[in-house]
Amino acid sequence: MQISIIGSLSGGGSPVDATVNFLAQAREEGFRRVWMTQMPYEPDLLTVLAVALREVDGIEVGTGVVPIQNLHPMLMAQRALTLNLIAGGRFILGLGMTHAAVTEGMWGIPWDKPVRRLNEYLDGLLPLLAGEPADATGETVTTRGALQIPGAPRPDVYIAALGPQLLKIAGRRTAGTVTWMTGPKTLGDHVGPGLRGAAGDRLVRVVAALPMAVTDDVDGARAQAAEQFAMYGQLPSYRAMLDREGYAGPADAALIGDEATVTARVEELRAAGVDEYVGVPFDASPEVRARTRALLRALDSD
C-alpha cells in the first residue's frame, strides 16, 4: 500500500510559495505523491499547481478533488492537459460532485441527477483527455469539439465516489476512487467491492484519506478532530459513511495514538484492500505534526 500526504491551500501568505515549499519538503522527506484539496473559498488549485509543478520535480500531485459542476468538461480537459504538460506526466486529476450546499447554495447550479451528470461529464471529458474529439450531447452537459495540446500526457482520472452508483461509474470508466471520512469496514465491504466489481478485468485503485495524529495526548487530539472536521458529520454523503462504519462522528474516523496504535489502524486499511492511504496531519502542535509525518514516511518505506 502506497502512503501519501495531503496538502492544502489554506493558511496565510502566498499560496504559490506555500505549495512550492510544501512539495519540495514532501519530496525531500521521501514522499512519492501528495494530494491537494480544493475548497470553494480557496485560490484556484490548478493555477497554483501550474507554478508549483514547474518549480518542483520528482513528485506526483493529485487533486482531491476538483468539483465538476462549475467547470465545463472542455475547460477541465484543457486545464488538466496543460498542467500535465507542465508537470511532465506527474499530475493526477481527482474529480468530485461536491455537495448541494455548495452547488446550489453558492453557485446556483442544480445538484440533481448526480449519476447522469457524472456520466455525461465523463462522456465529454475522457475523449478530450485521450487526445480525441468529443461529441457528447447530454441533458445536464453537452461537449463538442477537440483540443490541440501536442505532447500533453493523459492524466489518470479518479472520482470521489461513495454511493453504489458513483462507485460503478468510477470502476467502469476511471482509474479509481478517492474517499474521505470512510473507515476500513466500509472500504472493505462496500467501496472496494463496488469499485472493482464494476471494473471487471481493469485495474482500479482505492485511495483513502483520513485524519491522522501521532501523539500521546489522545483526548486532546480527538477534541481537535471533532472541532476541525465537524462539518463532515453533517454533510449527507460523509454522514452515510460514518453511520455505515458505526462512528458517532468524524473524530472516530481519525487515526490517533502512538506509533504502534496508528500503525495498527493503517494496517486495517491495508487489509481492507486500500491501495493508497493519504495521511491528513491535523494536530495544531508542530511536534505532533512532525511526529505524524515521520510515521507516514516510515510506513511508506516498509
Side-chain angles (χ1 to χ4, degrees), residues 65 115 152 159 215 273 302:
V65 291
V115 175
I159 300 296
T215 177
D302 288 349

Side-chain angles (χ1 to χ4, degrees), residues 139-179:
E139 180 181 336
T140 65
V141 62
T142 292
T143 309
R144 302 190 188 99
L147 297 173
Q148 297 182 23
I149 310 177
R154 176 182 181 175
D156 284 339
V157 176
Y158 284 74
I159 300 296
L162 296 175
Q165 295 303 313
L166 295 193
L167 284 168
K168 288 180 181 178
I169 295 173
R172 287 197 304 264
R173 308 192 65 180
T174 74
T177 186
V178 182
T179 70

Side-chain angles (χ1 to χ4, degrees), residues 181-202:
M181 284 296 160
T182 305
K185 178 178 180 296
T186 303
L187 289 163
D189 296 346
H190 168 65
V191 172
L195 181 78
R196 298 187 175 103
D201 294 334
R202 292 179 60 250

Side-chain angles (χ1 to χ4, degrees), residues 12-208:
S14 164
V16 175
D17 291 344
T19 302
V20 168
N21 292 336
F22 172 75
L23 294 186
Q25 180 183 357
R27 180 193 61 189
E28 294 308 311
E29 289 177 351
F31 290 103
R32 293 171 284 166
R33 180 182 298 160
V34 305
W35 292 81
M36 298 287 297
T37 60
Q38 173 69 85
M39 303 300 283
Y41 46 80
E42 291 178 336
D44 180 64
L45 176 59
L46 299 184
T47 302
V48 171
L49 288 178
V51 178
L53 281 166
R54 184 171 177 85
E55 291 292 319
V56 184
D57 61 8
I59 191 166
E60 296 178 343
V61 178
T63 57
V65 291
V66 176
I68 68 171
Q69 286 93 332
N70 65 343
L71 203 62
H72 189 272
M74 183 165 282
L75 181 55
M76 182 74 81
Q78 189 177 42
R79 297 178 72 188
L81 287 170
T82 302
L83 181 51
N84 210 25
L85 183 62
I86 293 169
R90 293 178 291 123
F91 174 63
I92 298 161
L93 181 61
L95 300 174
M97 297 291 292
T98 190
H99 306 276
V102 174
T103 306
E104 295 180 343
M106 296 176 66
W107 301 334
I109 299 173
W111 194 84
D112 62 344
K113 303 177 181 176
V115 175
R116 176 182 293 275
R117 188 178 299 275
L118 180 56
N119 263 321
E120 292 179 352
Y121 198 91
L122 294 175
D123 288 343
L125 177 71
L126 295 180
L128 294 171
L129 292 179
E132 302 167 356
D135 186 7
T137 301
E139 180 181 336
T140 65
V141 62
T142 292
T143 309
R144 302 190 188 99
L147 297 173
Q148 297 182 23
I149 310 177
R154 176 182 181 175
D156 284 339
V157 176
Y158 284 74
I159 300 296
L162 296 175
Q165 295 303 313
L166 295 193
L167 284 168
K168 288 180 181 178
I169 295 173
R172 287 197 304 264
R173 308 192 65 180
T174 74
T177 186
V178 182
T179 70
W180 171 240
M181 284 296 160
T182 305
K185 178 178 180 296
T186 303
L187 289 163
D189 296 346
H190 168 65
V191 172
L195 181 78
R196 298 187 175 103
D201 294 334
R202 292 179 60 250
L203 180 64
V204 290
R205 288 166 53 86
V206 175
V207 180

